[in-house]
Amino acid sequence: MSPPPDRAALRKILRARRRALPAAARIAGAEALADRLLALPFLPATGYVAGYWAMDGEIGLHAFQLRLPAGLVYCLPLLHDDGTLRFAPWRAGDPLVTNRFGIPEPDVTVDGALRAEDMALVVLPLVSFDDDCHRLGMGGGWYDRSLAVRRHQPAPPWLVGAAFATQRVDALPREAWDVRLDAVCCEDATLIATTAG
């Protein structure tokens, strides 16, 4: 699919498309995604791995979280007042609170949480992606602000987008503040960024 030139229009189209996926496709997609994430050539052996709580039709990370190697600690994002994300370890059953966008996050003090730079790997949700591993998010800029250091320095943290294949487009409109991903995984493909693009 060739994207329309307007990012807001593209978000509307792709969000509707991912929400329209049937439950069976979502479950199978999350399982296949876990296989692809766990097979990444740069999957760390130890450290913190940031994920997300799937909302609005996003592909789920539950299968990935449950299958993480023992040396990796799964974290969820928390909104910080400075407009960036912090991250806190979370396991199924740990307490959650709902943030101002209605998204569950760990019930911890945000000032004591980890920064993006403390993560070995960050798995990001997205609305759309292209073959060059560029990401279109929801438009709030939370991940771009939090991961801005990656515009000027190499990993870690490694940045991987997670999506359904139906969210893929030929090319995305880009802005100066966009942070490019190291890879994108969906149920039927793993794209690894090259130095060009």
Side-chain angles (χ1 to χ4, degrees):
M1 159 184 183
S2 293
D6 178 76
R7 288 164 70 109
L10 183 59
R11 282 188 184 97
K12 185 176 180 180
I13 292 165
L14 274 296
R15 287 176 69 193
R17 186 181 291 176
R18 75 181 181 196
R19 284 193 303 259
L21 289 168
R26 293 178 175 292
I27 294 166
E31 288 292 334
L33 173 70
D35 291 338
R36 293 194 172 277
L37 290 170
L38 292 167
L40 285 167
F42 50 75
L43 183 75
T46 60
Y48 295 105
V49 173
Y52 59 86
W53 189 277
M55 302 282 290
D56 189 47
E58 293 167 340
I59 193 166
L61 294 182
H62 54 280
F64 172 63
Q65 179 189 4
L66 291 172
R67 292 169 50 196
L68 271 182
L72 295 174
V73 178
Y74 190 78
C75 298
L76 285 176
L78 303 101
L79 303 181
H80 193 274
D81 290 339
D82 68 1
T84 64
L85 298 171
R86 298 293 192 274
F87 299 89
W90 184 81
R91 291 178 304 183
D94 287 352
L96 292 163
V97 294
T98 303
N99 68 27
R100 64 180 174 243
F101 297 114
I103 302 169
E105 55 184 40
D107 188 11
V108 300
T109 305
V110 80
D111 290 327
L114 302 162
R115 295 180 173 272
E117 304 89 73
D118 299 322
M119 300 295 107
L121 174 76
V122 179
V123 181
L124 297 78
L126 51 83
V127 174
S128 187
F129 67 97
D130 64 21
D131 289 351
D132 290 327
C133 295
H134 294 282
R135 167 189 179 268
L136 181 68
M138 291 291 286
W142 289 90
Y143 281 98
D144 288 317
R145 285 189 298 274
S146 302
L147 301 167
V149 67
R150 280 299 318 277
R151 285 200 304 268
H152 312 292
Q153 74 180 41
W158 293 96
L159 309 180
V160 181
F164 292 105
T166 191
Q167 296 171 249
R168 189 175 188 171
V169 297
D170 295 331
L172 284 171
R174 299 176 197 156
E175 298 292 347
W177 58 80
D178 290 338
V179 176
R180 187 173 176 217
L181 304 172
D182 298 300
V184 177
C185 293
C186 56
E187 71 273 25
D188 67 355
T190 298
L191 307 174
I192 304 289
T194 62
T195 52

